[in-house]
Amino acid sequence: MNSVVAINHRARSSEQKALRRHAVLETAEMYFKEVGYETFSMAQLAKKAGLAKGTLYLYFKTREELFLTLYEQSLIRWSQTFIETLSNTMTSKAYAQSLYKTTQADGVFLPLLIRLEHVIEHNVSIPRLVESKRVFIHQVEAIAEVTSSALRLNTEQALEVVKTMGVLLIGATQTDQSPALDNEELPTDVQHLITSFSSEPLFTKNAARIIEGIRAEGISGV
Amino acid sequence: MNSVVAINHRARSSEQKALRRHAVLETAEMYFKEVGYETFSMAQLAKKAGLAKGTLYLYFKTREELFLTLYEQSLIRWSQTFIETLSNTMTSKAYAQSLYKTTQADGVFLPLLIRLEHVIEHNVSIPRLVESKRVFIHQVEAIAEVTSSALRLNTEQALEVVKTMGVLLIGATQTDQSPALDNEELPTDVQHLITSFSSEPLFTKNAARIIEGIRAEGISGV
DNA sequence: TATATAGTTGACCGCCGGTCATTTAATATT
DNA sequence: AATATTAAATGACCGGCGGTCAACTATATA
């Protein structure tokens, strides 16, 4: 039940506070993976972390600032993982597949990315938002640099690819968020619709089209 | 305050009930345009509609079923508008621009589309969900048919274009959902980021790339 | 006018995110 | 060792949420 193992009693030094904050984030991530964004409650998190609800608000101003922190962590974590999968010469398809696969493997990144702009950012202080955007800029630039050599594009093109992949990813994985209707309670026409919106081919096919489009524009000088 | 003009007293016939339901939906749409999805409350809606809260639940099982209905209405409305803008021979760019412009013009369609799969569909009965999916299928097919002649693509290609445009639209307009920070309280690097994610060029550029990609695949027989 | 039917109501429920006076553990001072 | 000081932690409390349902009452019928 109690996931706060680092500190048993009061956190006094800033070091101890950082540890406690970290422990809360770990518990929150586990809990989030269990129940998802909408069901996640601060009272439940407090219980799971072995703290009182009020204590959570000593470490995070709002529920959304907590989620923004989780998002940042997952963005950084995923970026590193993705970059490690990139080699010096790749096809657009291989690039897109690796991007898709690594985002899917991280159980936190995509669900938070999808909710970032229309939910999470709306209950967060402006300085905190600015800080988060800067983390985003930094990660995008890091990915763009490796993308440049992976796909043999100039810096500008690589940057556009990375930004566009993010956009496409959000759109393509939207369908994965539908309620799980494992059983065969759906009529065949609707089942067919759902399979035709399968996110994996939807993403990889169009990612390749976009990358090739950007590459072609670079050649012709558009 | 009271937007229910059609019926002053009890709705007894199924006709009157339909009228009242319709009046509630109209009030809900106005109210939604005012405050958006997260702030929208059933108690406030009841007040604005001049009804008791409990009465709303005679016409809609849940808040989400109400939103699903608003979404369906806006989908149908937008589809018709969009189809009317299509001519028999268009460039990919003109097609994409018209699609973008018409969705932006409808203040309800996009905000609900974005929340459809990960919020709205999760508190809705399965029969109602199936019904909604069928409306979606029908609209997609109608748009695909006109798209086919507008972009000179075969049926299959046109269908893929329409589905993909939806995905891209959701991704590209994500940034528009960020909190409005009109003033100059943001540092220039973050401002630059935001403008570089401007949804209009993001959508139209990549829409054109994807359409041309699909067209090219058709020619080469991929 | 009396009765039956069914549309409407709003007090009520459990739970939410968030607050803050109070408690109390850990440190500093004597 | 005893005491004073500090601030981390607490949890009762707040307003508001989506949703429910016994009671009420407007209307149609007899």
Side-chain angles (χ1 to χ4, degrees):
Chain A
M1 199 70 65
N2 185 332
S3 297
V4 180
V5 289
I7 301 169
N8 295 317
H9 302 300
R10 298 199 169 185
R12 311 219 23 131
S13 69
S14 61
E15 213 175 68
Q16 285 175 314
K17 286 192 210 171
L19 276 173
R20 170 145 288 174
R21 194 182 142 98
H22 186 256
V24 169
L25 283 169
E26 277 206 345
T27 307
E29 187 159 314
M30 279 177 43
Y31 174 41
F32 176 68
K33 282 181 184 170
E34 275 177 39
V35 302
Y37 190 87
E38 281 73 23
T39 309
F40 186 108
S41 95
M42 294 298 271
Q44 272 300 307
L45 172 60
K47 259 189 196 161
K48 293 196 182 244
L51 299 170
K53 190 165 61 156
T55 309
L56 294 182
Y57 288 89
L58 299 177
Y59 292 90
F60 302 94
K61 281 205 203 100
T62 63
R63 182 182 188 261
E64 285 73 22
E65 289 211 6
L66 190 154
F67 276 120
L68 188 63
T69 307
L70 281 184
Y71 159 76
E72 276 181 0
Q73 285 190 357
S74 70
L75 169 63
I76 293 167
R77 179 176 61 215
W78 165 78
S79 296
Q80 291 173 340
T81 306
F82 176 53
I83 285 174
E84 282 166 15
T85 69
L86 296 182
S87 58
N88 243 2
T89 308
M90 298 177 84
T91 62
S92 305
K93 194 184 170 190
Y95 178 91
Q97 282 176 339
S98 179
L99 199 162
Y100 180 82
K101 196 179 164 189
T102 50
T103 54
Q104 289 290 323
D106 189 306
V108 174
F109 177 53
L110 259 179
L112 292 181
L113 178 63
I114 284 174
R115 288 162 177 89
L116 184 65
E117 313 236 0
H118 63 270
V119 186
I120 297 175
E121 287 185 355
H122 285 264
N123 197 13
V124 150
S125 71
I126 290 175
R128 189 66 190 79
L129 194 149
V130 168
E131 188 192 342
S132 164
K133 291 290 186 193
R134 283 184 166 148
V135 169
F136 180 77
I137 292 170
H138 184 257
Q139 296 303 314
V140 166
E141 284 172 352
I143 297 172
E145 194 187 316
V146 187
T147 297
S148 174
S149 56
L151 296 177
R152 283 139 293 138
L153 299 170
N154 66 43
T155 308
E156 203 185 335
Q157 289 176 318
L159 203 60
E160 183 161 10
V161 165
V162 174
K163 288 181 179 180
T164 311
M165 291 300 103
V167 164
L168 185 62
L169 189 68
I170 289 172
T173 56
Q174 200 80 0
T175 44
D176 300 335
Q177 308 295 321
S178 269
L181 303 166
D182 319 279
N183 26 13
E184 306 303 337
E185 48 197 336
L186 296 180
T188 54
D189 58 340
V190 175
Q191 281 185 20
H192 186 264
L193 174 76
I194 290 172
T195 57
S196 84
F197 270 95
S198 173
S199 64
E200 203 272 348
L202 207 53
F203 175 77
T204 53
K205 273 189 185 180
N206 289 298
R209 286 167 185 152
I210 288 168
I211 292 171
E212 293 312 318
I214 289 174
R215 191 195 304 284
E217 289 159 24
I219 291 168
S220 69
V222 172
Chain B
M1 199 71 63
N2 185 335
S3 297
V4 179
V5 289
I7 300 170
N8 295 319
H9 302 299
R10 298 198 168 185
R12 305 207 42 115
S13 68
S14 60
E15 211 175 66
Q16 285 174 315
K17 287 190 208 171
L19 275 173
R20 171 146 288 175
R21 194 183 142 99
H22 186 256
V24 169
L25 284 168
E26 276 206 343
T27 308
E29 187 159 314
M30 278 176 45
Y31 174 41
F32 176 68
K33 282 181 183 169
E34 274 177 39
V35 301
Y37 191 86
E38 281 73 24
T39 309
F40 186 107
S41 96
M42 294 296 273
Q44 273 300 308
L45 172 59
K47 257 188 198 161
K48 293 196 182 244
L51 299 171
K53 189 165 62 153
T55 310
L56 294 182
Y57 288 89
L58 298 176
Y59 292 91
F60 303 94
K61 282 204 202 100
T62 63
R63 182 181 187 262
E64 285 74 22
E65 289 211 6
L66 190 155
F67 277 121
L68 188 62
T69 307
L70 281 183
Y71 159 76
E72 276 180 1
Q73 284 189 356
S74 70
L75 170 63
I76 292 167
R77 178 177 60 215
W78 165 77
S79 297
Q80 290 173 341
T81 306
F82 176 54
I83 285 173
E84 282 165 15
T85 70
L86 297 182
S87 58
N88 243 3
T89 307
M90 298 178 84
T91 62
S92 306
K93 193 182 171 190
Y95 178 90
Q97 282 176 338
S98 179
L99 199 162
Y100 180 83
K101 196 178 164 191
T102 50
T103 54
Q104 290 289 323
D106 188 306
V108 174
F109 177 52
L110 259 180
L112 292 181
L113 179 63
I114 283 174
R115 289 162 176 89
L116 185 65
E117 313 236 358
H118 63 269
V119 186
I120 297 175
E121 288 185 356
H122 286 263
N123 197 14
V124 150
S125 71
I126 290 175
R128 189 66 191 77
L129 193 150
V130 168
E131 188 192 343
S132 164
K133 291 292 185 190
R134 283 184 165 147
V135 169
F136 180 77
I137 292 171
H138 184 256
Q139 296 302 315
V140 167
E141 285 172 349
I143 297 171
E145 195 187 316
V146 186
T147 297
S148 173
S149 57
L151 297 178
R152 285 140 292 137
L153 299 171
N154 67 42
T155 309
E156 204 185 332
Q157 290 175 318
L159 202 60
E160 184 160 10
V161 165
V162 175
K163 288 180 179 181
T164 311
M165 291 302 102
V167 164
L168 185 63
L169 189 68
I170 290 173
T173 57
Q174 200 79 0
T175 43
D176 300 335
Q177 308 296 320
S178 268
L181 302 167
D182 320 278
N183 26 13
E184 307 302 337
E185 47 196 338
L186 295 181
T188 55
D189 57 341
V190 175
Q191 281 185 21
H192 186 263
L193 174 76
I194 289 172
T195 56
S196 83
F197 271 95
S198 174
S199 64
E200 203 272 348
L202 207 54
F203 176 77
T204 51
K205 273 189 186 179
N206 289 297
R209 286 166 185 152
I210 287 169
I211 292 170
E212 293 312 318
I214 290 174
R215 192 195 304 285
E217 290 160 23
I219 291 168
S220 68
V222 174

